Every structure is written in structure tokens, then in C-alpha cells.
């Protein structure tokens, strides 16, 4: 296939992953899983598009979920500082504040003005590993997956597309839907895709729904854009 954006040949690097089923994501089994996953994606050749299908046993929420959790963490930290200051005085605040940077100060505006301007623009890419859509819940294993995605600049593709349904697995006891299965891609490749989401059909001999995506490509010799 040919890259519909650049016209050059395009390789697709496919990875399939099955996460452990244990609820505690900080065990040796989970450590081994993420170590193997990091090794697998490191084998992708430069320029290829990564498509990582993961039965991750992890709910990563949405961008609004992460923003709320970050705000909650900041509020807890401010409350903890206030309690320490109330107990020990302003000396406690001085101890908790980060030290001033040493060395000469950097005038960022002057530094940017002095840089050459004849370099090509950087491609735009999402800075978040999850988009605004999905199920608004982050599980403990989801927090670990989010850390892995942040480290390797990955994104959960389905969270960037509005859908009627996002659940990939239904808890048989509570009947609640969970978005535990993901297609992960490199953030820089987000614009190469046109759709992603869970499908109504179930996987073979599984209680999980299939997750699919559409990649914009051009067939060799055809010259017409297509989606696969």
C-alpha cells in the first residue's frame, strides 16, 4: 500500500497483546507483560505505522477523566500543604516549594528569535494519549497502561471518535460495560486513521467485542485512496 498523505510506500507494523487477568497491575506478571510489549513495539521500522491490538484488561477513561483526576490530585496536595503550614508555620511551605533554578536566566523569547526560521514545520500531533470519547472510568490497571502510553507516546484510537457504544466487555455479574480492549497507535499517526471503535460482533470463543479501525491508504497501481 501507499501512504495517502505522502505518496510513498507504507508499512503497517501489527502487534497483538494479551494482558494478565489479575486485578493488581503491579505484580511481576504485569511487569513482564509491559517489558515484552515495549520490546515488541521497539522493533517497528522508522516510517511504519504501529497498530497495536491489546486485550489490555485496562480502562483508560477519557481526557476529561484524566483532567478531573489531575485536579483532584492538585487539590489534595494543596490541602496537605495547608495542614502542614497550619501545624508548623510558613517554614513548612518553604521546605515544600521547589528551589529556584541556579545559573544564568534564560530569555526564551530572545532565544527563539535568534533561531533560524528556514526549518520545515513539525507535524501536528495530539499531546494526549486519550481523546474526549469513551467510558468515563479509569481502573488501576488503566492507570498503569496510561503511564505506558505516555512513555511511548501512544494513543487509544477509539477514544477520538464519537460512538453510540464503547464497551468491549460486559461484566456478567453487574452487566456494566467496560472499555478494556484498545487499538493503540503512535500519536503522530492519528491523522492517518479515519475511524475506530468496538464492533457488535464478538471475538471467536470470547466474551469480548471486536475492535476495528480504518487506515487511509492508496493501493499500489490503483492511484485511488482507500481505507483498510
Amino acid at each position: 500500500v501507499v501512504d495517502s498523505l505522502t505518496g510513498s510506500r507504507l508499512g503497517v507494523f501489527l502487534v497483538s497483546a494479551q494482558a494478565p487477568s489479575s486485578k493488581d497491575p503491579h505484580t511481576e506478571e504485569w511487569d513482564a507483560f509491559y517489558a515484552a510489549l515495549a520490546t515488541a513495539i521497539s522493533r517497528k521500522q522508522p516510517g511504519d505505522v504501529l497498530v497495536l491490538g491489546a486485550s489490555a484488561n485496562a480502562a483508560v477513561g477519557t481526557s476529561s477523566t484524566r483532567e478531573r483526576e489531575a485536579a483532584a490530585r492538585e487539590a489534595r496536595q494543596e490541602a496537605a500543604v495547608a495542614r502542614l503550614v497550619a501545624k508548623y508555620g510558613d517554614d513548612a511551605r518553604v521546605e515544600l516549594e521547589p528551589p529556584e533554578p541556579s545559573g544564568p536566566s534564560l530569555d526564551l523569547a530572545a532565544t527563539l528569535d535568534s533561531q533560524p526560521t528556514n526549518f520545515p514545520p513539525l507535524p501536528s500531533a495530539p499531546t494526549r494519549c486519550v481523546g474526549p470519547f469513551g467510558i468515563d472510568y479509569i481502573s488501576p490497571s488503566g492507570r498503569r497502561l496510561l503511564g505506558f502510553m505516555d512513555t511511548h507516546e501512544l494513543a487509544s484510537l477509539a477514544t477520538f471518535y464519537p460512538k453510540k457504544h464503547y464497551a468491549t466487555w460486559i461484566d456478567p455479574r453487574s452487566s456494566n460495560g467496560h472499555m478494556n480492549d484498545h487499538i493503540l497507535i503512535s500519536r503522530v499517526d492519528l491523522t492517518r486513521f479515519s475511524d475506530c471503535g468496538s464492533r457488535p460482533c464478538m471475538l471467536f470463543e470470547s466474551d469480548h467485542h471486536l475492535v476495528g479501525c480504518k487506515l487511509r491508504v492508496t493501493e499500489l497501481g490503483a492511484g485511488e485512496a482507500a481505507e483498510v
Side-chain angles (χ1 to χ4, degrees), residues 7 21 54 68 73 85 133 196 207 217:
S21 59
R68 284 201 311 275
R73 284 195 300 269
V85 170
F133 306 106
C196 183
D207 57 351
V217 296

Side-chain angles (χ1 to χ4, degrees), residues 38-66:
T39 299
I41 64 177
S42 69
R43 294 171 179 163
K44 181 182 76 71
Q45 296 298 312
D48 285 356
V49 175
L50 171 67
V51 179
L52 195 172
S55 181
N57 190 25
V60 296
T62 66
S63 54
S64 60
T65 319
R66 299 199 77 189

Side-chain angles (χ1 to χ4, degrees), residues 13 15-17 30-44 50 52 144-145 147-149 151-152 154 184:
F13 188 77
V15 178
S16 178
W30 280 91
D31 292 343
F33 167 73
Y34 278 111
L37 195 57
T39 299
I41 64 177
S42 69
R43 294 171 179 163
K44 181 182 76 71
L50 171 67
L52 195 172
R144 176 150 192 186
L145 177 57
F148 181 86
M149 293 161 64
T151 299
H152 296 278
L154 304 176
L184 306 180

Side-chain angles (χ1 to χ4, degrees), residues 94-107:
V94 173
E95 291 294 329
L96 292 170
E97 290 177 348
E100 293 292 332
S102 59
S105 61
L106 176 64
D107 187 340

